[in-house]
Each structure stands twice: as C-alpha cells, then as structure tokens.
Amino acid sequence: MEISISEIKNKLVEKGLKITPQRIAILEAIYTLNNHPTAEMIMAYIKESHPSIASGTIYKVLDTLVENQLIKRVKTENDVKRFDGLLENHHHLYCSESDVIKDYKNEELDRLLTEYFKKNRIDNFEIEDIKLQINGRTLKRGRKK
Amino acid sequence: MEISISEIKNKLVEKGLKITPQRIAILEAIYTLNNHPTAEMIMAYIKESHPSIASGTIYKVLDTLVENQLIKRVKTENDVKRFDGLLENHHHLYCSESDVIKDYKNEELDRLLTEYFKKNRIDNFEIEDIKLQINGRTLKRGRKK
DNA sequence: GTATGTGCAAACTTTTTGCACTTCG
DNA sequence: CGAAGTGCAAAAAGTTTGCACATAC
C-alpha cells in the first residue's frame, strides 16, 4: 500500500485533524505493515524511526483515527486490537493457524450480496456494511497470484 | 435456546469430558444468555445459582469447551472474548450502537455463497467456513419477527 | 485410587487515564 | 497565544498461571 507523506497529511487535514509527527508515523506504519497490525506491531515499527513515542499516544491516536474514519478496527477472536488502513469495501481471509488476515475484494461477490439483501430485508435492522469472514488455512506451497 | 440439563450432560459425555457442576452451569449460561455473552456476563449469571465459582475456572472451562467444539468464539472488534453456543452455520448481525450480536440464518444465502466460492477458488487458501459480519443498527420500533 | 477439574491468589498483558508539558496552527 | 496533542507513569480491565485441594468416574 504505497502512500506518500503528503497524502497522509492531506487525509488528516480533510478530517480537520492537526498534523503531528506521531499521527503521520502511525498512519504510515499502518499502510506499510499492511497485515492488519496490532497496536504493538505499530509501536515496534515506529520505535525505529521515532524512539520516543509513548504507547499511550499510540492508543490515543489510533482511537482518533478510527473515530475520524481514517482507519478501521478489524474484528478478530483474539483479544487484541487490530487495525485496517484499507477503507474500500472488502472482505477478510482469516488463517486460523497463523493469525494472518488478508484482504479479499471482488465486485461480483459484492453485487451478489447487495442483490440478496435488497430482496431479503432484515426486520428491525439497518445494514451499514457487510463483510465476509472467510475462515480457513493459507496453503504452504503454490504460487502467489 | 431451550436445553435441558440432561442434554448438556450428553454433550459433555460425547466429547469425553467429565461432568462437573461448573461445566454444566457455564454451558447452561451460554444457552440461556443467548446474546453471545462475555466471560463476565457468564460469571455474573452463574454467581446467582453458584456463588463460589472462580473466574479462573470460568476461563479454563470456556477454553475446554471451545477446544472440544461445544461452543465457539465470536469475532468482535472489542477486546473481550465472547462465546456462541449455536454450532450450525450461521451469520451475525452486529449492532454498532449497542454491542448486541444477533444470529442470522438463511439457506438461500448459504447456497449463493457456496456456489460463488465453488466457481471462484482463492489461491493458496483452503476455506473452512464463511460467515457474514452484517454491521449496522437495530431499529428501535417495529415488531420483532 | 487416580486422573482430571476447581479455587485461589498472584502475575501478566493490553489498554486506559490524568495531568503537566509541548506543539500546531 | 490558545486549543489540541503528547509523554509518562500509575491504574484498570481482562485473562492466564501454578499449585494445593477436591471431585468424577
């Protein structure tokens, strides 16, 4: 997920957030570590370029970014927070063995789901978005697409 | 989710687990509190009938039950564990406002998904199961189906 | 009787909080 | 300059662990 510092700054400005080195570093970390990182992974990554950042700050910034919809929280069955910098609608492949989460995007699938739920409204529920949790195992060999 | 003590005992026996009052109470709590309870909710519920149960025991029993596939862990974006006593394939409605998780079952939808993934294999990934996270808001009024 | 499960309390991990200080605009 | 953000360290929340005792079979 390639992104430049100035694009990151733009994103912050668009949301009316102040630009700080910590926020830039955290967003950059999430885009670089595109493996749906935990707060801890973000911290470890940033500490190299930015050794004085406090873990409290990381959590506060992450909260701010989620509130302002610059990133999203990922649902997991582990009790640690993980974050996603990809905002477009997409689904997740969960590997039960390795805790790896990968993205899966497909328009046909999304069309299928949209049509289905157009026909089959759910009583007393207003859908905001629908994501697939595709649970399984990543295979060791074979060529990556 | 109606279930009798003897059915609960059967489930434990089938998995080769010893029958203990704590395990029975915890399974019963999960079936009764069918709102995908946290360990804490289970504890609170059980404490009434069973005031001496230890929280460590609750966690240990929950682990055992998950390992033996008598219950499942639910994916959430909160950092607390939640559990599900419904084992058949089903989907979840997540209400972002209230933290309520409801079940959603539909065969047509499952058929649609199965067909889609039969046609569209994912490289280097072996699917075990697919669940929808249907995110949105429960509406206040209207009749419950 | 023996393997297994439970209670308890201490420890651990992850996240949150409050407040003085700093920085952005 | 003032509002907003950060660092720090302490505390909270949630979960795990080890071990002595109790229980199921």
Side-chain angles (χ1 to χ4, degrees):
Chain A
M1 212 185 294
E2 306 278 312
I3 198 160
S4 67
I5 304 291
S6 59
E7 285 177 90
I8 290 178
K9 288 185 185 173
N10 283 342
K11 283 170 181 274
L12 289 167
V13 171
E14 276 167 31
K15 300 290 181 179
L17 295 173
K18 282 190 183 169
I19 294 170
T20 69
Q22 293 84 347
R23 286 176 177 172
I24 293 171
I26 289 168
L27 274 172
E28 213 221 317
I30 293 171
Y31 294 132
T32 307
L33 300 167
N34 56 0
N35 202 14
H36 309 87
T38 61
E40 215 185 348
M41 290 160 77
I42 295 167
M43 216 166 343
Y45 177 85
I46 292 178
K47 280 276 164 80
E48 310 216 328
S49 54
H50 222 276
S52 67
I53 198 164
S55 61
T57 301
I58 305 239
Y59 284 104
K60 282 175 196 161
V61 170
L62 287 169
D63 283 351
T64 308
L65 297 178
V66 171
E67 273 164 33
N68 288 277
Q69 300 171 64
L70 285 172
I71 60 175
K72 289 189 176 181
R73 295 207 46 191
V74 180
K75 289 187 175 63
T76 68
E77 49 190 32
N78 253 347
D79 42 359
V80 291
K81 301 191 162 179
R82 294 179 70 156
F83 299 89
D84 195 345
L86 180 61
L87 296 175
E88 311 154 49
N89 194 49
H90 67 283
H91 308 288
H92 283 149
L93 304 175
Y94 291 87
C95 175
S96 47
E97 282 172 352
S98 63
D99 264 2
V100 169
I101 301 173
K102 288 190 180 157
D103 295 325
Y104 181 82
K105 251 189 280 193
N106 185 294
E107 285 187 17
E108 186 196 336
L109 176 58
D110 293 335
R111 233 178 293 120
L112 229 76
L113 291 171
T114 310
E115 271 169 42
Y116 170 84
F117 282 103
K118 206 176 280 172
K119 278 186 264 165
N120 301 271
R121 288 269 154 74
I122 303 173
D123 283 343
N124 300 325
F125 195 84
E126 191 190 318
I127 297 176
E128 277 161 10
D129 73 281
I130 295 173
K131 292 193 176 181
L132 264 66
Q133 298 174 353
I134 306 165
N135 302 300
R137 299 202 317 276
T138 39
L139 302 176
K140 311 295 182 250
R141 52 162 167 185
R143 198 131 310 287
K144 184 155 184 254
K145 189 202 137 204
Chain B
M1 211 184 299
E2 306 277 313
I3 197 159
S4 67
I5 304 289
S6 59
E7 284 177 272
I8 290 178
K9 288 185 185 174
N10 284 343
K11 282 170 181 274
L12 289 169
V13 171
E14 277 166 29
K15 300 291 180 178
L17 296 173
K18 283 189 184 173
I19 294 170
T20 69
Q22 292 84 347
R23 286 177 177 172
I24 293 170
I26 289 169
L27 274 171
E28 213 222 317
I30 293 171
Y31 294 132
T32 308
L33 302 167
N34 57 1
N35 202 11
H36 308 84
T38 62
E40 215 184 350
M41 291 161 77
I42 294 168
M43 217 165 343
Y45 177 86
I46 292 179
K47 280 274 165 79
E48 310 216 328
S49 54
H50 222 275
S52 66
I53 198 164
S55 62
T57 302
I58 305 238
Y59 285 104
K60 282 175 196 161
V61 169
L62 288 169
D63 283 350
T64 308
L65 298 177
V66 170
E67 274 164 31
N68 288 277
Q69 301 172 63
L70 286 170
I71 60 175
K72 289 190 177 180
R73 295 206 48 189
V74 180
K75 289 188 175 64
T76 68
E77 48 189 34
N78 253 346
D79 43 1
V80 291
K81 300 191 162 179
R82 294 179 70 157
F83 299 89
D84 194 344
L86 181 61
L87 297 176
E88 310 154 48
N89 194 50
H90 67 283
H91 308 287
H92 284 149
L93 304 175
Y94 291 87
C95 175
S96 47
E97 282 172 353
S98 63
D99 264 1
V100 169
I101 301 172
K102 287 189 182 157
D103 294 324
Y104 182 82
K105 250 188 281 194
N106 186 293
E107 283 188 18
E108 186 197 336
L109 176 58
D110 293 335
R111 231 177 295 120
L112 228 75
L113 291 173
T114 310
E115 271 170 42
Y116 170 84
F117 282 103
K118 206 177 281 175
K119 277 187 263 161
N120 302 272
R121 288 270 154 74
I122 302 173
D123 282 342
N124 300 326
F125 195 82
E126 190 190 318
I127 297 177
E128 276 160 11
D129 74 280
I130 295 173
K131 292 193 176 182
L132 264 65
Q133 299 175 352
I134 306 164
N135 302 299
R137 298 201 319 276
T138 39
L139 302 176
K140 312 294 183 250
R141 53 166 169 180
R143 198 129 311 286
K144 187 162 181 245
K145 191 209 137 200

